[in-house]
C-alpha cells in the first residue's frame, strides 16, 4: 500500500493535492476551523447525536425501548472495536503519512508521526454513524453525511491520502454492520435487565411523572396498611 504514494501521477496522490490545495487557497481562520472540525468537531458531533437520540428513546419508553437503547449502545462500542481492528492493519501496511513522502502539502495539524492507512478518524466516525443509522434512520442519515465530511477534512488537512479515508469508512461500516447481530443479541437482554432495575431503569425508559406518583402512593398505602396487622400480630 505504501507504494501507491510513490508516484505523483497516481490518482490517489493527485486527488490529495487537489483537496489539500483548497487549504492553501483558504484564509487562515478557515483552516483553523477545519482543523478543529476535523480533529474534534465531527467526532463530538456524532457522539452528541447518539446521546440526543438516546434521550429521546428513554423519554418515549415503550416495549421497544430496550432494543433501541441497545442499538445506541452498540454505536460507540462498534467504533471502539473498529479502531482495535485497525491496529494490526496499520502495523502491517506501515504506510507513511503523505507529508513524509510529498512536498508542498499544507499540513494543518502537527504531531502526526504514526502510520496513515487506515484513518482512525474515518473509522471511528463511520462506525458511529452506521451504528446510529441502525438505531434511528433519521439521525443516522445525518450522521452518515457528517462521517463523509469528516473523512474529506482529513485529506483537506494533509494528514491522510484519500484511500486512507476510504479504507477507514469501509472498515467502520463493516464492523458496525457485520457484528451488529451478535451485539444486539448480547446487549438487548442486558438493557431489558437494566430497564427492570428500580435504580437504573431510567437509563432505558423514563417513567411518566404521573405513573411515578401513583406507584409512590400505592407504596405508602401498603406501608400504612401494614401497621394494624403488625400490631395485631404483636398482640
Amino acid at each position: 500500500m505504501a507504494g501507491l504514494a510513490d508516484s505523483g501521477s497516481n490518482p490517489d496522490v493527485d486527488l490529495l493535492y487537489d483537496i489539500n490545495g483548497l487549504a492553501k487557497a483558504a484564509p487562515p481562520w478557515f483552516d483553523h476551523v477545519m482543523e478543529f472540525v476535523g480533529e474534534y468537531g465531527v467526532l463530538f458531533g456524532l457522539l452528541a447525536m447518539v446521546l440526543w437520540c438516546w434521550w429521546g428513546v428513554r423519554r418515549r419508553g415503550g416495549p421497544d425501548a430496550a432494543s433501541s437503547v441497545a442499538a445506541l449502545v452498540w454505536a460507540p462500542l462498534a467504533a471502539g472495536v473498529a479502531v482495535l481492528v485497525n491496529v494490526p492493519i496499520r502495523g502491517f501496511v506501515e504506510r507513511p503519512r503523505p507529508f513524509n513522502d510529498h512536498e508542498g502539502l499544507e499540513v494543518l495539524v502537527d504531531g502526526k508521526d504514526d502510520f496513515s492507512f487506515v484513518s482512525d478518524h474515518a473509522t471511528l466516525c463511520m462506525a458511529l454513524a452506521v451504528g446510529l443509522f441502525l438505531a434511528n434512520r433519521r439521525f443516522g442519515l445525518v450522521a452518515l453525511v457528517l462521517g463523509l465530511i469528516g473523512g474529506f477534512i482529513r485529506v483537506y488537512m494533509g494528514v491522510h491520502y484519500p484511500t486512507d479515508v476510504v479504507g477507514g469508512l469501509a472498515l467502520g461500516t463493516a464492523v458496525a454492520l457485520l457484528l451488529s447481530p451478535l451485539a444486539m443479541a448480547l446487549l438487548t437482554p442486558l438493557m431489558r435487565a437494566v430497564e427492570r432495575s428500580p435504580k437504573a431503569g431510567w437509563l432505558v425508559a423514563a417513567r411518566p411523572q404521573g405513573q411515578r406518583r401513583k406507584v409512590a402512593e400505592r407504596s405508602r398505602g401498603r406501608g400504612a396498611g401494614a401497621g394494624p396487622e403488625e400490631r395485631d400480630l404483636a398482640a
Side-chain angles (χ1 to χ4, degrees):
M1 181 64 71
L4 292 177
D6 294 339
S7 173
S9 63
N10 188 284
D12 196 23
V13 177
D14 292 341
L15 189 56
L16 165 67
Y17 275 105
D18 288 341
I19 296 175
N20 182 252
L22 300 174
K24 283 189 173 184
W29 67 265
F30 185 78
D31 283 346
H32 289 312
V33 171
M34 293 292 276
E35 176 189 347
F36 176 80
V37 173
E39 281 288 288
Y40 310 106
V42 173
L43 186 58
F44 288 165
L46 289 170
L47 289 172
M49 289 184 67
V50 172
L51 290 174
W52 187 5
C53 190
W54 162 76
W55 187 260
V57 167
R58 65 170 292 276
R59 286 189 64 186
R60 288 192 302 271
D64 297 330
S67 59
S68 297
V69 172
L72 291 170
V73 170
W74 169 236
L77 289 178
V81 172
V83 170
L84 289 177
V85 172
N86 190 30
V87 171
I89 295 176
R90 297 185 79 160
F92 176 75
V93 177
E94 294 186 347
R95 187 184 200 184
R97 295 278 183 171
F99 52 78
N100 290 324
D101 289 339
H102 302 281
E103 297 179 353
L105 292 173
E106 185 76 10
V107 183
L108 301 187
V109 59
D110 298 325
K112 300 293 183 180
D113 54 359
D114 54 347
F115 295 121
S116 185
F117 185 91
V118 175
S119 167
D120 276 338
H121 272 76
T123 301
L124 276 169
C125 290
M126 191 50 63
L128 274 170
V130 173
L132 184 54
F133 181 80
L134 294 175
N136 185 292
R137 297 294 185 267
R138 181 166 57 92
F139 279 82
L141 287 174
V142 177
L144 289 172
V145 173
L146 281 179
L148 293 174
I149 292 174
F152 175 85
I153 295 176
R154 300 304 291 175
V155 183
Y156 179 97
M157 294 167 61
V159 296
H160 280 294
Y161 295 97
T163 49
D164 297 338
V165 171
V166 172
L169 299 178
L171 178 59
T173 300
V175 169
L177 285 179
L178 296 179
L179 296 183
S180 176
L182 175 60
M184 292 300 294
L186 296 174
L187 290 173
T188 301
L190 178 60
M191 291 303 105
R192 285 177 180 154
V194 172
E195 185 179 16
R196 292 191 297 267
S197 171
K199 294 184 178 180
W202 64 272
L203 291 170
V204 176
R207 185 175 293 169
Q209 185 67 29
Q211 187 175 353
R212 286 200 299 266
R213 190 181 300 112
K214 290 179 182 179
V215 171
E217 290 173 356
R218 285 199 298 267
S219 298
R220 287 196 297 269
R222 285 195 298 267
E229 295 178 4
E230 292 175 355
R231 285 195 294 271
D232 290 341
L233 288 175

